Amino acid sequence: MNLNILILLIIIGLSAGFLSGLLGIGGGIIIVPALVLLLGMTQHQAQGTSLAVLVFPAGILALINYYKNGYVDLKVSIILILTFIIGSYFGSLLSMEIQEKVLRKIFSIFFIIVAIRMFFK
C-alpha cells in the first residue's frame, strides 16, 4: 500500500467516523462512495469493506456519548440489532447475485430518493 492510498484511507476513515458521530451516518454514505470513486474498488468490495468497519468498532465511542446523554433507546436498539443481522445476511446474499453495474445504480438511486425525501420533510 503506497502512502497516497494510506492517506486517502485515513481521510475516509476520519470523515466517516466524524459524520457517524455527528449525524449517525458514515458507512454507506461516506465509505462506500469514497472507496469506489477514490480507490477504484468495485461496488461489492466497497460494501464488504464498509461492513467490516461498521460491524462493531466504529460506533462504540459515539454510542457511549449518546447513551450517557440519554439518546439511546435500548429496547428499540435491540430489536433493530436482531433484525439488522437477519436483514444484512439476506441482503448480502442478494447483493452477490446482482451485477456490479446494476448494484451501483440501485445504491445511487436509493440515496437520491432518501436525500430528496429528507430535503422536503
Side-chain angles (χ1 to χ4, degrees):
M1 178 180 308
N2 71 38
L3 184 61
N4 289 336
I5 291 176
L6 179 61
I7 291 169
L8 271 176
L9 289 172
I10 290 168
I11 292 169
I12 292 167
L14 288 172
S15 299
F18 178 79
L19 290 172
S20 178
L22 179 67
L23 302 174
I25 62 171
I29 294 176
I30 303 299
I31 295 174
V32 172
L35 293 177
V36 170
L37 298 173
L38 300 176
L39 295 179
M41 283 189 175
T42 68
Q43 187 72 22
H44 288 104
Q45 288 173 318
Q47 288 178 193
T49 301
S50 176
L51 287 171
V53 171
L54 299 173
V55 167
F56 175 73
I60 193 68
L61 294 177
L63 169 63
I64 291 168
N65 284 329
Y66 278 94
Y67 182 79
K68 284 181 187 177
N69 287 283
Y71 293 119
V72 177
D73 184 322
L74 290 177
K75 290 178 185 176
V76 170
S77 297
I78 290 168
I79 293 167
L80 288 173
I81 288 167
L82 294 174
T83 56
F84 182 87
I85 290 168
I86 295 166
S88 65
Y89 174 76
F90 288 107
S92 66
L93 288 177
L94 178 61
S95 176
M96 297 301 109
E97 302 301 319
I98 298 174
Q99 292 179 354
E100 161 91 16
K101 194 174 187 179
V102 174
L103 186 61
R104 190 176 297 179
K105 288 179 181 179
I106 292 169
F107 181 88
S108 301
I109 290 168
F110 173 77
F111 281 109
I112 290 168
I113 292 168
V114 170
I116 291 169
R117 287 193 54 147
M118 288 185 72
F119 183 80
F120 288 106
K121 279 275 180 178

